[in-house]
Amino acid sequence: MTDAHDLPLLAPTLASLPLDLSPDLHFLSRELILSPQAFTLHTADQEPEASWPIEGADLKLQLGDHAGVGSLKLIDAHQVRAHWRFTMSKMPAAQNMVAQFNALQRARSEAQPDTQEQAKMPAEWPEESSESLSPPSTWTLFRLWRFAKPYRAQLLLGFGLTVAATAATLVPPYLTMPLMDDVLIPYQNGVPIQATTVMKYLAGLFGAAFIAWSLGWARTYILARVSERIGADIRTATYNHLLNLSLDYFGSKRTGDLMARIGSETDRINVFLSLHLLDFATDVLMITMTVIILFSINPWLALVTLFPLPLIAWMIHLVRDRLRTGFERVDRVWSQVTNILSDTIPGIRVVKAFSQEAREGERFYQANRQNLRINDRVNRIWSLFAPSVTALTELGLLIVWAFGIWQVSQGAITVGVLTAFLAYIGRFYARMDSMSRIVSVTQKTAAGAKRIFDILDHTASVPEPLHPQPLAGRPAAISLDQVGFRHGNRGILHDIHLDIQPGSMVGLVGHSGSGKTTLVNLIARFYDVSAGQIRLDGTDIRQFSVTEYRRQIGLVLQEPFLFFGTVADNIAYGNPDASRSDIIQAARAAHAHEFILKLPQGYDSLVGERGQALSGGERQRISIARALLINPKILILDEATASVDTETEREIQQALDNLVKGRTTIAIAHRLSTLRQADMLVVLDQGRIVETGRHDELLAKHGHYFRLYQAQLKLNAEPLPLDTATEGTPHATD
Amino acid sequence: MQLTDRMLTLDPFGTLQLQTGANEAPVDVVPVRAFPLGCPRQFIALVDQQGHERFWIDDLDTLPPETAAQIEANLAQRELIPRILRIRNVSSYATPSRWSLETDHGSAELLLKTEDDIRYLPSGALLITDKFGLPFLIPQQSELDHHSQRLLARFL
């Protein structure tokens, strides 16, 4: 650091926390600095406005947060010395400060003045990616070039053909000039028509039309082909990118919206490229060429003819902005409409069970009405726009007629020139009209492209390391070191320390919402930790390539998901190259073999959304076979037996026993009985580990686990065949 | 049971303490609104450190004023839902977008991650949650000035 501001003598800064809230919760930025002697509060770069000396071992920092506001308290044994507040963006800095302070206090109590070594805390936090904001994408359409590049040769050819075709269409009006001046007008004045001259001109007209036709056909075909391919590439690229985004992204987006983006937006881009852009290019060429021709014939008449042009351009510019925002809103509203569909259709059983069809209908109607309202607003501007352009066109023609007749009467131009001008300008303004349409289409497409690039620009929040470490062979010791995780403004896990021996089975126990699934998601690297680190055999899991790492993990979920396809495909999902005998072996081990044989087409039976109906237990065993087949080092069972009855559970349990053998297993279960053979039980409560140990040890402790266990015993003792998968334990409310 | 100011006290650390019976030890409690947006003055729970409900208040207005004031003061200390008075400018119309705002809590910055973080409340208000989870409120769009409304409309 080269800065030279005069720090007070005492102050090596240990940690600094930018506070952005005042005590009465107004936005105010100040900075809290921790030095070995004191906390000091600064506004900007000024002298400290307050300071709290650090004296006595009973000083503590207390960090908390609620609904987006963090609070840091400095307390001693009797009272609160100071209370600072900040928004959650400063949480990592606050955590760092607490860690520094604790290190300081520890060092002090051990009478070691040297704190520097402890002071090396992680300075970078994975969630700090807020600075990498994507810039405003006004030129989004140009970014499509990335997809057009592979086809540049064909595009160039298409463009060449466009130029030639356009030139060919401009020949006929030019020929009207000699036809008029050399043939028709002399004839009116008594000169007979010469058949050869006429034939020559007519042949020219025909030739030009024929060439224009064949060139036009070729260019349309080539460009449509190319744009279809570009559209397909965009779709594939977007979908592939989407698949690689972290779970986090899918959690925050709605399925309907994503489907609309990949489906209809790419289609819109496609149509734009093949149709509208092509038209526009032709129009621009046509206008440029026409202008050149007009000026070469008669500059003055040309000037008059072009007079309405700036007016039209200005109008287009004026309306463009409003239309663009309007079309963006139309898109957004449209995805709201599809969202309702994708919300309701999968939940149709619930809708019908509670007979809420009318209400859902109403919801759809409302969204539709909003859609109408916004479309109406856009159409109001849009509808005014097109006729205005046409009116201006007519006006332009009128001007040319008037000026032309006057010029002819002055003898400045011939009738032929005037006819040619009128022929040209008819085309010219017709193009103007269609050009004005490009505005709205371009804006629509730009909005669509923006929504596509929204996906493409989103980097996975589980980043791939630049230089991934190779994964070693068997042993799979997992250690969690001071792991913390927060989602939005909610802290979900705090300070998790856990060492899992290779090949051992760890059971995670706790109320629902205590953070079990989150912990497992962190271990599977669906999310990255917000603090601390998770290590596999001593290496931070963020240093492995994500796919490599996940390949080591077998996951069995509460609700097994089967894709549409055969049973064999589903079992071999994690390893499509598996041989048939591998698949059968896995199915056997998962106790799925026998029921699969009972299906009409055995392993070739179709399952999944539109396939064979399988029971929960059967589906679960298929998913266990799926996990077995990839022979994972680490196995995660997330409530694998929660949604089935006890009989089925027994079958699944046997299947699981085969699966667990020799693998590091992390199991979540509400039914504590299923975890009895675990080597270690970890009891979580409100995102913290409260107890660890074996089943009997924990029972002997009479703590959290004991209470959970008692509650379940009581529940099982009741004669009712209750589904014990009830969330959490019953609390005695009254 | 009626909640009186004798039952609810503040300890030196500024934490509310609830004493439900003469012989019971006081417990640290935190007031939590059940409907912070829809119905903030009614349905408030006093929740202990473990997250268990210790006392239920149907309506703040039925409490003795001092007790109600104490609870409100505690809520006000923790709750921050700034009202947006003016949107000065936005960094881009594509999300993520950084908004510079004037709120009733001073000028602030909001980082909008996606348009989905803008939530329509039944009252017609908009609740905008920034990337870090801080909620901002626009009670009525039409009450914003023209410039702010125009910027806002780009995201709705």
Side-chain angles (χ1 to χ4, degrees):
Chain A
M1 275 188 286
T2 55
D3 57 339
H5 37 234
D6 295 315
L7 288 170
L9 277 175
L10 56 136
T13 302
L14 289 180
S16 82
L17 168 61
L19 297 172
D20 50 4
L21 289 174
S22 66
D24 57 347
L25 292 181
H26 277 67
F27 292 101
L28 177 70
S29 65
R30 292 172 302 171
E31 189 155 31
L32 184 67
I33 286 175
L34 171 67
S35 62
Q37 281 76 30
F39 285 100
T40 47
L41 191 62
H42 302 255
T43 305
D45 270 341
Q46 291 170 6
E47 286 295 292
E49 62 182 50
S51 85
W52 294 267
I54 301 172
E55 61 204 356
D58 58 351
L59 271 186
K60 269 194 222 121
L61 278 182
Q62 211 176 54
L63 185 64
D65 72 272
H66 175 79
V69 180
S71 100
L72 185 65
K73 282 183 186 173
L74 179 66
I75 56 176
D76 61 21
H78 311 291
Q79 56 170 331
V80 180
R81 294 264 182 104
H83 193 172
W84 304 291
R85 289 183 180 79
F86 47 88
T87 63
M88 293 315 287
S89 53
K90 313 290 184 264
M91 197 57 174
Q95 283 167 340
N96 186 32
M97 177 167 277
V98 173
Q100 294 293 341
F101 179 77
N102 289 345
L104 188 70
Q105 288 291 74
R106 217 169 24 240
R108 201 168 275 209
S109 64
E110 287 160 9
Q112 287 174 347
D114 165 48
T115 60
Q116 291 308 319
E117 203 196 334
Q118 285 280 2
K120 285 203 178 78
M121 284 293 293
E124 273 179 40
W125 301 80
E127 284 291 299
E128 274 300 76
S129 56
S130 65
E131 302 307 317
S132 60
L133 276 173
S134 74
S137 43
T138 347
W139 298 95
T140 327
L141 275 177
F142 284 95
R143 299 183 56 195
L144 290 173
W145 176 243
R146 176 181 140 195
F147 294 98
K149 220 171 156 190
Y151 302 100
R152 52 181 182 277
Q154 277 136 299
L155 282 172
L156 204 67
L157 176 66
F159 187 73
L161 286 172
T162 308
V163 176
T166 313
T169 55
L170 288 176
V171 175
Y174 200 85
L175 290 181
T176 55
M177 216 162 28
L179 265 176
M180 197 61 92
D181 288 342
D182 301 346
V183 180
L184 291 176
I185 293 177
Y187 173 71
Q188 271 188 340
N189 298 336
V191 184
I193 291 176
Q194 279 185 304
T196 48
T197 329
V198 174
M199 284 309 285
K200 200 177 73 193
Y201 287 132
L202 287 183
L205 278 175
F206 177 78
F210 180 77
I211 291 172
W213 170 78
S214 51
L215 288 176
W217 167 76
R219 81 150 187 197
T220 311
Y221 177 70
I222 286 176
L223 290 177
R225 239 179 94 87
V226 170
S227 68
E228 198 65 57
R229 272 159 187 69
I230 293 176
D233 288 355
I234 295 175
R235 248 191 307 273
T236 320
T238 316
Y239 185 57
N240 282 339
H241 188 84
L242 189 69
L243 285 180
N244 284 316
L245 291 178
S246 65
L247 275 187
D248 207 21
Y249 185 78
F250 291 93
S252 66
K253 292 282 177 196
R254 302 227 256 162
T255 320
D257 180 52
L258 290 177
M259 277 162 55
R261 288 190 195 201
I262 294 180
S264 51
E265 305 293 6
T266 45
D267 198 48
R268 180 175 291 169
I269 291 177
N270 185 6
V271 171
F272 171 75
L273 291 178
S274 67
L275 219 66
H276 303 297
L277 197 60
L278 188 59
D279 279 350
F280 184 69
T282 319
D283 293 346
V284 171
L285 277 173
M286 168 94 82
I287 287 175
T288 329
M289 291 185 194
T290 314
V291 167
I292 294 170
I293 296 172
L294 290 184
F295 271 96
S296 70
I297 301 174
N298 185 320
W300 273 111
L301 192 56
L303 263 183
V304 174
T305 312
L306 298 178
F307 170 71
L309 190 67
L311 201 65
I312 296 176
W314 174 73
M315 252 191 74
I316 291 172
H317 175 78
L318 199 71
V319 179
R320 173 198 277 156
D321 216 40
R322 282 158 176 259
L323 277 178
R324 185 187 48 216
T325 55
F327 285 125
E328 245 181 64
R329 292 188 76 174
V330 167
D331 273 1
R332 230 173 277 142
V333 163
W334 182 242
S335 71
Q336 268 173 28
V337 173
T338 45
N339 269 333
I340 290 184
L341 290 180
S342 64
D343 217 31
T344 315
I345 293 174
I348 193 69
R349 273 182 76 186
V350 184
V351 175
K352 285 191 175 298
F354 289 88
S355 58
Q356 293 297 314
E357 292 93 337
R359 178 246 200 81
E360 290 299 333
E362 173 67 16
R363 207 153 73 98
F364 190 70
Y365 171 74
Q366 289 300 343
N368 236 339
R369 244 189 35 182
Q370 174 82 353
N371 183 25
L372 269 184
R373 210 168 54 82
I374 290 180
N375 267 303
D376 282 350
R377 198 179 306 165
V378 174
N379 288 339
R380 252 203 310 276
I381 310 171
W382 174 230
S383 59
L384 188 71
F385 185 55
S388 311
V389 174
T390 319
L392 284 174
T393 310
E394 300 295 331
L395 190 73
L397 274 175
L398 193 73
I399 295 173
V400 177
W401 269 115
F403 188 76
I405 292 171
W406 178 66
Q407 288 273 299
V408 172
S409 70
Q410 298 286 308
I413 58 171
T414 61
V415 178
V417 170
L418 179 58
T419 336
F421 261 76
L422 284 171
Y424 272 120
I425 207 153
R427 286 164 192 247
F428 186 96
Y429 282 135
R431 299 329 294 183
M432 253 351 248
D433 193 25
S434 88
M435 260 178 95
S436 68
R437 220 162 285 146
I438 191 79
V439 178
S440 77
V441 198
T442 311
Q443 303 309 346
K444 264 188 194 177
T445 315
K450 184 210 125 185
R451 284 156 57 80
I452 297 251
F453 281 108
D454 269 355
I455 296 180
L456 286 174
D457 290 343
H458 200 95
T459 46
S461 60
V462 176
E464 284 281 349
L466 283 178
H467 308 288
Q469 300 275 319
L471 272 153
R474 261 290 137 173
I478 303 170
S479 65
L480 287 83
D481 187 13
Q482 278 205 317
V483 166
F485 181 71
R486 47 187 329 113
H487 194 264
N489 60 4
R490 272 179 70 209
I492 297 176
L493 289 174
H494 317 273
D495 239 349
I496 302 283
H497 265 285
L498 191 59
D499 281 305
I500 303 174
Q501 300 302 319
S504 69
M505 177 175 179
V506 172
L508 296 181
V509 182
H511 297 275
S512 53
S514 55
K516 302 182 299 275
T517 302
T518 310
L519 188 59
V520 157
N521 280 343
L522 288 178
I523 292 175
R525 228 187 144 205
F526 291 143
Y527 304 108
D528 269 341
V529 294
S530 323
Q533 56 177 194
I534 300 176
R535 286 188 293 265
L536 174 68
D537 297 327
T539 315
D540 192 321
I541 58 170
R542 282 172 288 190
Q543 290 174 5
F544 298 122
S545 122
V546 180
T547 32
E548 270 300 289
Y549 176 69
R550 293 230 183 97
R551 212 163 279 160
Q552 314 298 319
I553 296 175
L555 188 64
V556 180
L557 298 170
Q558 177 174 2
E559 289 295 335
F561 190 86
L562 300 186
F563 294 95
F564 180 71
T566 66
V567 174
D569 290 344
N570 267 289
I571 293 177
Y573 190 74
N575 181 9
D577 301 327
S579 71
R580 291 209 166 80
S581 52
D582 286 344
I583 292 174
I584 292 171
Q585 207 187 344
R588 275 220 182 88
H591 290 258
H593 183 61
E594 289 174 3
F595 86 78
I596 294 174
L597 291 183
K598 280 184 201 147
L599 296 173
Q601 282 111 30
Y603 281 86
D604 288 329
S605 309
L606 287 177
V607 293
E609 205 187 6
R610 286 162 292 146
Q612 194 87 33
L614 295 179
S615 76
E618 290 167 341
R619 284 207 304 268
Q620 190 57 280
R621 278 176 280 165
I622 290 184
S623 79
I624 291 172
R626 186 192 281 166
L628 264 169
L629 191 74
I630 59 168
N631 189 20
K633 282 205 283 195
I634 303 165
L635 190 63
I636 293 175
L637 307 175
D638 192 348
E639 310 256 15
T641 59
S643 58
V644 293
D645 56 275
T646 18
E647 190 57 36
T648 322
E649 186 192 348
R650 195 163 306 136
E651 290 170 12
I652 294 180
Q653 202 58 51
Q654 287 168 347
L656 283 179
D657 289 344
N658 282 334
L659 185 55
V660 165
K661 253 177 243 156
R663 304 177 211 276
T664 308
T665 306
I666 300 161
I668 298 179
H670 275 310
R671 249 175 284 184
L672 300 178
S673 54
T674 58
L675 292 178
R676 215 172 281 173
Q677 75 274 34
D679 300 301
M680 177 168 59
L681 290 173
V682 176
V683 187
L684 286 170
D685 190 43
Q686 297 191 26
R688 288 175 204 280
I689 294 181
V690 286
E691 279 175 337
T692 51
R694 298 184 65 90
H695 177 71
D696 338 340
E697 292 168 15
L698 289 179
L699 276 189
K701 264 192 192 167
H702 281 248
H704 266 85
Y705 184 74
F706 179 74
R707 283 199 296 278
L708 282 169
Y709 191 72
Q710 287 296 320
Q712 286 206 353
L713 275 187
K714 231 180 277 169
L715 205 69
N716 290 345
E718 277 167 31
L720 286 168
L722 265 180
D723 183 6
T724 36
T726 13
E727 290 280 285
T729 50
H731 334 197
T733 22
D734 285 296
Chain B
M1 187 165 43
Q2 205 30 44
L3 189 72
T4 64
D5 48 348
R6 211 158 347 111
M7 288 162 56
L8 205 59
T9 49
L10 266 183
D11 79 349
F13 299 104
T15 316
L16 280 178
Q17 292 196 312
L18 177 77
Q19 191 162 24
T20 40
N23 303 322
E24 309 232 353
V27 274
D28 291 356
V29 290
V30 171
V32 176
R33 298 189 213 263
F35 298 98
L37 305 169
C39 200
R41 286 193 61 79
Q42 280 161 26
F43 309 115
I44 292 173
L46 298 182
V47 168
D48 68 13
Q49 300 298 314
Q50 279 72 47
H52 292 301
E53 179 182 341
R54 289 307 183 105
F55 201 87
W56 180 252
I57 301 161
D58 273 327
D59 193 342
L60 265 188
D61 297 331
T62 61
L63 296 182
E66 278 167 43
T67 316
Q70 219 166 20
I71 292 175
E72 282 195 315
N74 193 294
L75 282 169
Q77 263 182 31
R78 290 182 309 135
E79 272 187 347
L80 177 59
I81 307 184
R83 280 158 187 262
I84 296 178
L85 305 175
R86 211 171 91 80
I87 303 172
R88 249 180 269 128
N89 61 58
V90 300
S91 69
S92 86
Y93 295 120
T95 53
S97 168
R98 205 182 275 280
W99 296 13
S100 138
L101 305 170
E102 261 165 48
T103 72
D104 60 345
H105 284 258
S107 55
E109 207 171 63
L110 180 159
L111 189 56
L112 184 72
K113 211 163 62 172
T114 77
E115 283 106 351
D116 295 340
D117 290 337
I118 302 179
R119 183 179 144 193
Y120 293 81
L121 301 182
S123 61
L126 292 177
L127 190 75
I128 306 172
T129 310
D130 86 341
K131 182 174 190 281
F132 302 101
L134 191 67
F136 289 80
L137 190 76
I138 298 179
Q140 206 65 50
Q141 277 182 64
S142 52
E143 281 168 18
L144 291 176
D145 60 283
H146 192 65
H147 175 69
S148 310
Q149 280 192 37
R150 262 225 331 251
L151 291 179
L152 183 65
R154 296 294 294 266
F155 294 89
L156 300 180

